[in-house]
Amino acid sequence: MNTYDIFNIHNEDEFNQMALAIYHFQKEHNKVYGEFLKVSHHYDKPIQHYSEIVSLPIEFFKTQKVIVEQQTPQLVFESSGTTGQKISRHFVVDAELYRQSFLKGFTWFYGDPVDWTFLALLPSYLEKPNSSLVFMMKGLMEASESPYNGFILNEVENLSDRIKKAKTWRQGKVLLMGVSYALWDLAEKYPQNLQGIIVMETGGMKGRRKEITRSQLHEILCQGFGLEKIHSEYGMTEMLSQAYSQGEGLFKTPPWLRIYFTEPDDPFSLAKPGKTGLINVVDLANIYSCSFIATSDLGRFTTNGQFEIIGRHDLAELRGCNLMLW
């Protein structure tokens, strides 16, 4: 199988076939995932659909080297984490595969990056040299030809002038992406009219501010920036693909990424349709690590194949795997 074939998926059947092929490849050649399937008594179970595949709890990325055997990583991404927390590490064998994933994913939802100006308000991530989000934003800026691209650090008071100039570039498409707490700070300290650009939050307060719901955050940002809606990005260190929301916290995935939900207290059972469950991601770009991950996030499907994120599972740090101790 050509790794880059994942970007040529056109329908659900093609996705399912490729997911099953990757599943059989990873359970045989990824020691951590294969052992997890054996210990949980799922290694030999027949699988016909990707939703039947048992996902690896995301906590394993904090304690194990999740990588296909005999592969050498080109990059190692690390989660930001709060003080005292163990950080996740994602060993990335093919950096170009990740680059193609985020470029094609962005294009799928927003068009060619060449026409955009990218402004990134990611202070805590810039403190981490191995941030997958910073790597993605740098890659989008490199794909863009705008002279106004850049990471915003201490010059937030001049942001409006920079945006005004960026709106004169080509089609005037401007994306301001920021971690939630930094956008909140900006909306409070420097409220301004940002109509005509897209403001996108990446989620996470990282212990910097109190946790609030996404809808509450969006209300604060809309009021502070004079906008009708806020966009969102859903990704994580352990993934090489992103889902996007173009408003109201309703997310869609690109063709090589799918999600499904399992019961919060029974990760081996699918959640009932329409009910809140634990988000499981099937990220085919993760072919050299693990494409099947049980996250610590709760969500549910809405309409037209969209999904929303409800919050984090209360037992997120406890449910990860005491099944494997070696």
Side-chain angles (χ1 to χ4, degrees):
M1 181 182 65
N2 184 334
T3 304
Y4 290 77
D5 284 346
I6 65 171
F7 302 123
N8 297 320
I9 290 172
H10 298 99
N11 54 52
E12 188 74 3
D13 184 59
E14 290 179 1
F15 179 90
N16 191 56
Q17 290 182 29
M18 199 159 293
L20 294 180
I22 290 175
Y23 166 71
H24 289 293
F25 168 71
Q26 290 182 348
K27 80 171 188 175
E28 293 179 14
H29 298 287
N30 181 319
K31 178 183 177 182
V32 173
Y33 187 46
E35 288 297 322
F36 171 71
L37 291 173
K38 290 175 182 177
V39 173
S40 62
H41 307 292
H42 288 86
Y43 189 90
D44 295 319
K45 289 194 174 182
I47 301 294
Q48 294 184 325
H49 190 263
Y50 65 84
S51 63
E52 301 170 358
I53 296 173
V54 171
S55 298
L56 184 73
I58 200 167
E59 288 80 10
F60 274 86
F61 285 83
K62 296 180 179 179
T63 60
Q64 308 293 331
K65 187 175 182 178
V66 183
I67 189 172
V68 168
E69 61 189 5
Q70 297 182 344
Q71 297 291 334
T72 301
Q74 295 180 348
L75 300 169
V76 180
F77 290 136
E78 297 180 346
S79 63
S80 51
T82 55
T83 303
Q85 280 188 334
K86 290 183 179 179
I87 61 172
S88 291
R89 288 185 171 87
H90 190 180
F91 297 88
V92 180
V93 171
D94 187 350
E96 179 60 20
L97 180 61
Y98 178 46
R99 196 178 78 87
Q100 289 297 317
S101 180
F102 66 67
L103 289 175
K104 291 180 183 295
F106 182 87
T107 301
W108 181 263
F109 292 100
Y110 295 99
D112 195 330
V114 73
D115 295 322
W116 286 81
T117 294
F118 295 96
L119 302 175
L121 188 60
L122 307 169
S124 61
Y125 289 90
L126 288 171
E127 297 166 3
K128 301 288 290 187
N130 298 324
S131 164
S132 60
L133 182 57
V134 170
F135 187 94
M136 180 180 82
M137 292 308 297
K138 284 182 177 178
L140 288 169
M141 291 177 191
E142 290 169 359
S144 163
E145 296 181 353
S146 172
Y148 304 108
N149 291 323
F151 290 89
I152 309 301
L153 291 174
N154 301 317
E155 65 276 17
V156 291
E157 65 274 11
N158 299 320
L159 181 61
S160 58
D161 290 336
R162 187 165 186 167
I163 290 174
K164 187 179 297 183
K165 293 177 182 177
K167 289 171 71 173
T168 66
W169 172 254
R170 289 191 174 172
Q171 300 178 42
K173 296 181 178 180
V174 182
L175 172 68
L176 172 62
M177 176 182 278
V179 65
S180 297
Y181 77 84
L183 288 173
W184 188 354
D185 287 347
L186 181 66
E188 281 189 345
K189 297 176 182 177
Y190 301 97
Q192 55 197 286
N193 187 338
L194 295 183
Q195 289 183 9
I197 79 165
I198 288 179
V199 174
M200 180 181 291
E201 52 88 7
T202 67
M205 294 301 173
K206 306 298 181 186
R208 306 294 182 104
R209 299 199 64 155
K210 68 176 183 179
E211 293 288 342
I212 59 176
T213 65
R214 175 169 272 110
S215 60
Q216 289 173 324
L217 173 66
H218 285 199
E219 183 177 353
I220 292 171
L221 299 184
C222 283
Q223 290 178 354
F225 300 139
L227 299 173
E228 294 184 0
K229 61 182 180 180
I230 301 297
H231 292 227
S232 305
E233 178 260 356
Y234 182 65
M236 55 190 70
T237 300
E238 301 84 357
M239 294 169 58
L240 294 183
S241 303
Q242 299 79 33
Y244 288 99
S245 164
Q246 295 179 317
E248 300 179 351
L250 300 178
F251 289 86
K252 292 182 179 179
T253 60
W256 55 93
L257 175 67
R258 293 286 191 281
I259 68 154
Y260 63 91
F261 300 96
T262 53
E263 292 290 344
D265 299 320
D266 182 3
F268 302 135
S269 298
L270 291 176
K272 295 178 181 178
K275 299 297 183 181
T276 297
L278 200 66
I279 296 176
N280 290 249
V281 298
V282 182
D283 182 3
L284 301 188
N286 270 15
I287 186 170
Y288 295 114
S289 53
C290 185
S291 291
F292 314 96
I293 303 174
T295 75
S296 301
D297 297 321
L298 293 169
R300 60 174 173 245
F301 281 121
T302 56
T303 58
N304 300 323
Q306 299 177 108
F307 69 97
E308 60 180 340
I309 301 165
I310 308 300
R312 289 179 61 82
H313 194 284
D314 289 339
L315 302 178
E317 290 295 334
L318 301 177
R319 68 172 187 78
C321 237
N322 294 319
L323 290 173
M324 289 170 55
L325 296 172
W326 78 88

